[in-house]
Amino acid sequence: MLNGRDPRIDFFRGLALIFIFWDHVPHNPLGQITLRNFGFSDAAEVFVFLAGFASVMAYSKVLQREGYWMACLKILRRTWVLYVVHIFLLALLMGIVFFANSHVETRDLVQEMGMTHFITHPQQALLDELLLRFKPNLMDPLPLYIVLLASLALVLPLMLRKPWMVVAVSLTVYLLAPWMGWNLRAIEDGVWYFNPVTWQLLFVLGGMAAIQSQAPKPVQPPSLWRQPLFVTAAAYVLVAGAITLSWRWPHVHDALMPALISDLIYPISKTDLSPVRLLHFLALAYVTAKLLPTAGWTQNPVAAQVCRMGRFSLEIFCLGVVLAPLADMLNAMAGDALAMQLLTAWVGVLLMAALGAWLELNKRLNQRAT
């Protein structure tokens, strides 16, 4: 039975939300220290993997305690909540972007945010919004999560009984999808930026990790450097980091990168979750789990604040989506001055932390009232 809540999961969900916010503010200097600058994967992989982990951890307990149909009902209810939040958030985001665009003369924020479809085809855009086909910048993760969570209602019982069978089927679909051209439709004959047919594998692997986390652990495992899998994963993370850093100096990258390796790994598709991205994230997650086997470090004040943000990931994500264009507007009005860019980046994080603290307090007050 899957029990308990691992604060390390909350911490890395919260950290991923901070990185997503920083990455979505153009020219933000703190965006240079996020995960995407040190490897092939980024915060999106963290978000989806941990969403799978947390979903299976939570709804498997419901299934075991109350049965499949109640678990299915609660999954679909949560999916509906996510859908409603997505529609409301998109409407709010469009209003903020249109407002910001009226105060910035040097750039067209509406075009940069991918919202021209709403101006040129408003009626079609409203229909596409309801069908999850109209997804401006910043809005891609939530529709992906909606589709993946809804699919969990179908595979959860089998995942608990025969998880490796589910992983095998998921991997097969992942490998076939780019070759067969499987994806969901988006506006103007486009496709989803996060292809759910391929990203489902990462969600499934997150669920698999939740199940495996409850398995008995060796009493005294050998030292990390005597574990071949850890050494291999750590080496891959370091090599991927070196390659990613070399992208900053194209002439150095082109001079040192062997043509054989270049032909093998490029292009690195985010839409179809390229194998080198997937392997990089899995290696990074494995190395991190091995280096941080306990959760005591999450008790320090800063980590505790990040954990709190991770516990309310939906609300914090929505706030980050709203704050990103506002920060971009303020930065542009200040001529993208470094001081303003740093100020808006840190104020945004403080506001996200404040929302997490408020939600935690509100939850405790409700528990005391009942």
Side-chain angles (χ1 to χ4, degrees):
M1 185 172 180
L2 302 175
N3 295 311
R5 188 183 186 104
D6 190 337
R8 295 176 300 171
I9 302 301
D10 292 330
F11 174 84
F12 287 111
R13 290 180 86 176
L15 187 62
L17 292 169
I18 294 174
F19 285 171
I20 289 173
F21 168 64
W22 284 348
D23 286 340
H24 284 163
V25 180
H27 316 300
N28 173 25
L30 295 182
Q32 299 300 314
I33 64 173
T34 60
L35 185 59
R36 66 178 180 178
N37 299 284
F38 303 98
F40 299 142
S41 61
D42 60 26
E45 279 87 352
V46 180
F47 185 85
V48 173
F49 180 85
L50 294 183
F53 188 104
S55 298
V56 171
M57 183 72 78
Y59 293 112
S60 62
K61 291 189 291 186
V62 178
L63 186 148
Q64 293 164 343
R65 184 177 60 248
E66 304 178 44
Y68 168 71
W69 291 111
M70 184 56 67
C72 183
L73 178 62
K74 291 187 175 182
I75 291 173
L76 295 179
R77 183 178 65 180
R78 179 64 173 176
T79 303
W80 173 251
V81 170
L82 293 173
Y83 176 78
V84 173
V85 168
H86 169 73
I87 299 300
F88 174 78
L89 182 61
L90 180 53
L92 180 61
L93 179 64
M94 287 193 294
I96 291 174
V97 171
F98 290 140
F99 168 79
N101 197 55
S102 66
H103 289 75
V104 176
E105 298 179 355
T106 57
R107 292 157 51 200
D108 187 349
L109 298 183
V110 173
Q111 183 178 10
E112 291 180 12
M113 292 292 294
M115 294 185 178
T116 54
H117 179 61
F118 183 80
I119 297 177
T120 56
H121 304 90
Q123 294 180 339
Q124 183 62 41
L126 290 174
L127 176 60
D128 290 333
E129 176 184 349
L130 296 175
L131 297 176
L132 302 181
R133 295 190 306 210
F134 176 42
K135 302 183 298 301
N137 297 345
L138 310 182
M139 293 298 297
D140 292 288
L142 203 50
L144 174 66
Y145 187 21
I146 291 171
V147 171
L148 295 180
L149 185 61
S151 66
L152 181 62
L154 301 176
V155 301
L156 182 59
L158 187 59
M159 180 174 286
L160 295 179
R161 295 189 183 97
K162 297 182 178 180
W164 289 109
M165 179 183 295
V166 175
V167 171
V169 173
S170 176
L171 177 61
T172 301
V173 172
Y174 164 81
L175 294 174
L176 289 175
W179 182 53
M180 301 294 293
W182 293 339
N183 199 339
L184 297 184
R185 292 285 302 277
I187 60 172
E188 299 175 350
D189 298 325
V191 295
W192 282 34
Y193 180 66
F194 289 104
N195 183 359
V197 186
T198 52
W199 281 78
Q200 52 78 28
L201 175 60
L202 196 56
F203 188 83
V204 168
L205 292 175
M208 182 68 175
I211 295 172
Q212 292 299 312
S213 68
Q214 304 303 306
K217 304 295 189 300
V219 177
Q220 190 173 4
S223 64
L224 293 178
W225 299 112
R226 296 176 59 187
Q227 300 179 30
L229 183 57
F230 175 82
V231 174
T232 302
Y236 184 71
V237 169
L238 293 175
V239 170
I243 293 175
T244 305
L245 288 174
S246 73
W247 294 343
R248 297 171 181 264
W249 303 278
H251 61 285
V252 175
H253 171 272
D254 295 341
L256 298 179
M257 174 65 72
L260 181 63
I261 297 179
S262 179
D263 294 339
L264 181 64
I265 68 174
Y266 298 131
I268 302 176
S269 171
K270 187 171 185 177
T271 293
D272 287 325
L273 188 60
S274 176
V276 295
R277 287 184 66 102
L278 176 64
L279 291 176
H280 175 261
F281 170 77
L282 295 177
L284 182 63
Y286 183 78
V287 169
T288 303
K290 287 293 186 179
L291 292 177
L292 301 173
T294 61
W297 56 273
T298 62
Q299 301 304 311
N300 76 73
V302 175
Q305 292 292 333
V306 178
C307 289
R308 183 179 293 117
M309 294 167 62
R311 284 196 291 273
F312 300 97
S313 57
L314 176 60
E315 295 87 346
I316 301 301
F317 171 79
C318 293
L319 179 60
V321 168
V322 169
L323 291 176
L326 291 176
D328 189 21
M329 178 191 73
L330 294 175
N331 293 343
M333 293 174 64
D336 286 324
L338 178 62
M340 178 59 75
Q341 291 175 330
L342 292 173
L343 177 64
T344 56
W346 282 114
V347 168
V349 172
L350 291 176
L351 289 174
M352 293 161 71
L355 177 60
W358 164 251
L359 293 172
E360 180 82 9
L361 175 62
N362 191 54
K363 181 178 179 180
R364 291 180 180 177
L365 293 175
N366 289 337
Q367 290 175 342
R368 291 178 182 177
T370 57

